[in-house]
Amino acid sequence: MIIANILKSKGSQVISVRTHDGVASITRTLAQHRIGAVLVVERDNGVLGIVSERDIVRALASLGEGVTRMTAGQLMTRVLFTVSPRSTVTDALQLMTDRRIRHLPVLEENGSLCGLVSIGDLVKARIAEAEHEAEELKHFVTHMG
């Protein structure tokens, strides 16, 4: 299965924030949409980074209450690992495992954003794929004997 299939069912809408948005606004957005990360985007520059719950917790642990005055631009992880719509779910899961990340922006070859997938999206797709394969095997066995 490829990432494009997940985006077909999930949709390509990506929740994002701007570099100047503060921590309070970011955390409200995360809570409101029940998500674990938001992309940081600007109209002219595209995707600049990602802010995850993990980024906020780590900043809170090291800076304490000073985190409340920070912006997305200050908090964001700037080094992004990405996949393309043609990437396989297996490859995306391997990248997440190797890099210890939970979200991957999906970018076209020209760099345009076409979605965001989470570890949950990928695991759900992989389970559905395994269940489908098991059903096919059952069908094959019962109709061959």
Side-chain angles (χ1 to χ4, degrees):
M1 178 180 288
I2 61 173
I3 299 298
N5 294 346
I6 293 173
L7 294 179
K8 280 180 191 170
S9 62
K10 174 187 175 174
S12 60
Q13 180 187 14
V14 176
I15 306 300
S16 62
V17 297
R18 303 278 186 196
T19 55
H20 64 273
D21 289 344
V23 171
S25 174
I26 296 166
T27 56
R28 275 193 303 275
T29 299
L30 292 171
Q32 176 185 357
H33 295 281
R34 299 181 60 156
I35 55 177
V38 289
L39 292 181
V40 182
V41 299
E42 292 297 337
R43 288 185 188 107
D44 299 338
N45 299 335
V47 180
L48 302 175
I50 190 167
V51 177
S52 68
E53 294 167 327
R54 187 180 288 175
D55 294 322
I56 295 169
V57 168
R58 286 181 177 158
L60 186 60
S62 64
L63 301 173
E65 291 181 21
V67 170
T68 61
R69 294 182 295 281
M70 293 181 76
T71 65
Q74 294 168 312
L75 275 172
M76 70 183 177
T77 298
R78 295 172 191 276
V79 176
L80 291 176
F81 296 96
T82 65
V83 292
S84 82
R86 290 157 298 287
S87 299
T88 66
V89 168
T90 303
D91 288 344
L93 283 166
Q94 187 65 55
L95 178 60
M96 287 180 160
T97 301
D98 293 346
R99 292 300 181 180
R100 299 182 53 106
I101 56 176
R102 298 178 182 181
H103 301 86
L104 290 170
V106 183
L107 302 179
E108 290 290 354
E109 285 181 28
N110 66 6
S112 64
L113 178 66
C114 56
L116 179 74
V117 291
S118 70
I119 188 79
D121 297 329
L122 299 181
V123 169
K124 180 180 173 183
R126 189 63 192 105
I127 289 170
E129 188 176 46
E131 288 174 346
H132 178 71
E133 290 170 359
E135 284 299 316
E136 285 184 347
L137 283 172
K138 262 199 258 183
H139 183 265
F140 177 77
V141 168
T142 58
H143 289 84
M144 292 300 292

